[in-house]
Amino acid sequence: MKTKIKKAILSFFLFCTVTSMAESVDENTIPLDVEKTNLHFGFIKLTDCASLVIAKEKGFFEAEGLNVKLTAQKNWVILLDNVIKGALDGAHMLAGQPIGATVGVSQKANVITAFSMDLNGNAITMATDVWEQMKEHIPQDADGKPIHPIKADSLKPVLENWDGPFNMGMVFPVSTHNYELRYWLAAAGIHPGFYTASDSKGHTDAEVVISPNAPPLMPSYLNSRAIMGYCVGEPWNQKAVFADKDGKQLGVPVVTNYEIWKNNPEKVFGVTEEWAAKNPKTHTAVLKALIRAAKWLDASEANREEAVQILSRSHYVGAEAKVLRNSMTGTFVYERGDRREMPDFNVFFRYKATYPFYSDCIWFLTQMRRWGQLKEDQSDEWYTKTAEKIYKPNLYMEAAKLLIEEGNIEESEIPADGETGYKPATTEDIFIDGKVYDGKKPNDYIDSFEIKAP
């Protein structure tokens, strides 16, 4: 009897808490007449799932009349499979997943995105003994600390004396991590390998052997020396900083992806084209909630700290708050004692982060061609039309304008009506190799690289 009473009291308390939370965010919200109220979304245990988590925990989904269940997925293959077969309504995805699925590089399906979940958020971590060898070739500042950004040039002499294959990890063949790691290595003249018709692993001609690993397992693979480094999102770089091996930290993050490509797109919220067509109002409502969650995440340091506590829960990211806090609150630790200010390591809303730019989609397509995942050259027009199939800025703007009408975001916080979906051509300080990228000229960009697939 006492147990039943306790359960009843707890249920009432949770009901009151959720109701109060929803009331606090829906004063101006005008819910749509959605086709589907009960939704199931998937995510991988990374800090950049934050917009989904915050949309649920802070009541933004509920304010839109949505009852959302979030479930962690074991890996990116299972996550995408579950979206394609309808077990999930949508998911936190690698930016390359909707693209790869549509063009047939990964699981074949028509998957779209109308929401970019974040900018930046990744790093490349090396085993501590590898880092100590690299460090001999890196200039130092007046305080004796390495000068960043650290280029892969410092890895070249290590590889020259390395006995056996030099293995590194990334999370998925069409992930930003794969392309960023390859980009970093190739910028220093280190060959990361090509994908070919007979080599789906991408190891052809490789001086560094890159293979996919599950993000939470990368520190343990580093510990066992199955890999000597990896490119991954947080918190798994900072995890290597706090973990010990032989009295030293397990690994050292040497470069962030902000330093490889400033304000690069990282994850997206993806759904199948069929699901979006069947549930247009539901999709719009989801986008509204996600936009508000992203704005909340970038609104204050207090919000970031609260997000750290929420994400640390076992059913979300499940890492220690101190590990999550390192990157989520405007700093980043390379070596122990080398904590640096990095306010843009995780960006969820600033810089029009949530808008799905066609030029971002095209960059991923250029890398698929550069490394041989796309086997044939295509015209610039093909790149444009392919991006328009996958990225849906029109759907984003529809949701954003409703939020403006409600007073939940400001007009200045989203792109203007005349936005083409193409960012200006980059300047020499954006990419680590100084290359200029213009999304309207993808073939010129591909041709500018010395290391590229035939």
Side-chain angles (χ1 to χ4, degrees):
M1 184 68 179
K2 287 183 179 180
T3 302
K4 289 183 179 180
I5 292 172
K6 285 181 179 179
K7 286 183 177 180
I9 292 172
L10 178 59
S11 298
F12 178 74
F13 172 75
L14 291 172
F15 172 78
C16 292
T17 302
V18 170
T19 302
S20 176
M21 181 173 63
E23 287 174 352
S24 69
V25 298
D26 71 356
E27 292 178 358
N28 300 322
T29 303
I30 304 173
L32 301 172
D33 184 15
V34 298
E35 300 85 4
K36 189 174 185 181
T37 56
N38 295 320
L39 301 172
H40 189 188
F41 298 147
F43 68 95
I44 297 293
K45 291 192 170 191
L46 294 160
T47 56
D48 52 28
C49 71
S51 294
L52 272 175
V53 172
I54 294 304
K56 178 176 175 63
E57 292 293 331
K58 299 302 292 183
F60 296 119
F61 281 137
E62 189 173 2
E64 297 292 342
L66 303 174
N67 177 34
V68 172
K69 177 183 178 181
L70 299 179
T71 304
Q73 307 293 294
K74 288 184 178 180
N75 58 52
W76 294 111
V77 174
I78 291 172
L79 178 144
L80 184 55
D81 278 344
N82 282 336
V83 172
I84 292 171
K85 69 185 183 183
L88 294 172
D89 293 288
H92 160 234
M93 291 186 183
L94 299 158
Q97 281 190 294
I99 303 166
T102 299
V103 300
V105 169
S106 60
Q107 301 106 302
K108 179 64 177 172
N110 292 323
V111 181
I112 65 168
T113 181
F115 183 81
S116 177
M117 293 189 70
D118 66 317
L119 305 178
N120 311 316
N122 299 336
I124 295 173
T125 290
M126 306 301 294
T128 298
D129 62 318
V130 174
W131 163 246
E132 289 173 346
Q133 296 175 64
M134 291 174 63
K135 204 171 179 179
E136 297 174 7
H137 308 281
I138 298 169
Q140 298 180 343
D141 62 19
D143 296 325
K145 293 182 178 179
I147 295 174
H148 284 260
I150 292 172
K151 297 185 178 182
D153 299 74
S154 58
L155 180 62
K156 292 183 76 171
V158 179
L159 295 176
E160 289 171 2
N161 298 308
W162 195 261
D163 184 19
F166 192 91
N167 298 315
M168 294 191 72
M170 50 77 182
V171 309
F172 198 66
V174 296
S175 69
T176 318
H177 319 80
N178 186 26
Y179 303 131
E180 287 167 349
L181 179 54
R182 289 171 182 274
Y183 200 104
W184 182 68
L185 292 167
I190 300 170
H191 204 311
F194 291 139
Y195 295 88
T196 68
S198 60
D199 178 11
S200 61
K201 295 181 178 179
H203 295 167
T204 298
D205 297 335
E207 295 176 81
V208 172
V209 179
I210 302 172
S211 301
N213 301 135
L217 298 179
M218 287 190 185
S220 62
Y221 291 153
L222 195 68
N223 185 52
S224 69
R225 299 184 74 78
I227 55 177
M228 302 312 300
Y230 54 74
C231 184
V232 74
E234 285 307 313
W236 308 114
N237 297 288
Q238 293 299 290
K239 185 71 173 178
V241 174
F242 281 95
D244 288 304
K245 183 177 177 64
D246 300 328
K248 300 178 181 179
Q249 68 185 69
L250 173 62
V252 179
V254 297
V255 64
T256 68
N257 65 339
Y258 176 82
E259 295 167 311
I260 296 171
W261 174 16
K262 289 183 176 64
N263 291 329
N264 64 92
E266 174 49 32
K267 300 296 192 306
V268 298
F269 177 74
V271 299
T272 64
E273 186 177 58
E274 180 183 11
W275 186 93
K278 286 182 178 178
N279 304 284
K281 292 181 181 178
T282 305
H283 194 197
T284 300
V286 170
L287 295 174
K288 288 176 66 186
L290 290 174
I291 293 169
R292 293 186 70 188
K295 179 176 179 176
W296 183 92
L297 279 159
D298 277 4
S300 70
E301 291 182 11
N303 286 4
R304 283 296 184 96
E305 178 57 36
E306 184 178 349
V308 165
Q309 299 301 324
I310 293 171
L311 290 169
S312 69
R313 297 172 189 169
S314 60
H315 54 288
Y316 290 136
V317 179
E320 304 98 310
K322 69 175 183 179
V323 174
L324 291 167
R325 188 178 293 113
N326 266 358
S327 62
M328 280 285 284
T329 55
T331 62
F332 191 80
V333 177
Y334 293 95
E335 291 181 279
R336 293 175 188 172
D338 188 6
R339 180 187 299 273
R340 306 198 185 195
E341 295 295 319
M342 196 165 289
D344 290 339
F345 183 82
N346 283 120
V347 175
F348 295 99
F349 189 69
R350 301 190 307 278
Y351 316 132
K352 311 295 189 291
T354 53
Y355 184 87
F357 285 93
Y358 293 134
S359 51
D360 289 343
C361 180
I362 290 171
W363 186 86
F364 286 97
L365 289 166
T366 67
Q367 300 309 292
M368 291 176 185
R369 177 64 192 114
R370 181 185 182 187
W371 302 117
Q373 291 173 320
L374 293 173
K375 303 297 186 258
E376 298 178 358
D377 290 334
Q378 301 290 345
S379 67
D380 287 353
E381 182 182 13
W382 179 87
Y383 284 92
T384 298
K385 289 184 176 180
T386 302
E388 290 172 354
K389 288 180 183 177
I390 305 163
Y391 275 43
K392 301 297 180 180
N394 59 314
L395 300 182
Y396 174 92
M397 291 299 289
E398 181 182 340
K401 287 181 178 180
L402 290 174
L403 290 173
I404 292 170
E405 291 174 8
E406 295 170 351
N408 285 320
I409 63 172
E410 301 294 328
E411 189 171 0
S412 61
E413 293 174 324
I414 65 168
D417 283 337
E419 176 60 60
T420 63
Y422 287 83
K423 297 175 182 176
T426 61
T427 51
E428 293 181 356
D429 62 330
I430 300 301
F431 285 91
I432 197 167
D433 59 358
K435 294 286 186 185
V436 173
Y437 169 61
D438 184 345
K440 295 180 180 179
K441 300 177 181 179
N443 281 297
D444 285 354
Y445 183 60
I446 296 169
D447 292 340
S448 72
F449 295 107
E450 291 185 13
I451 300 178
K452 59 181 182 291

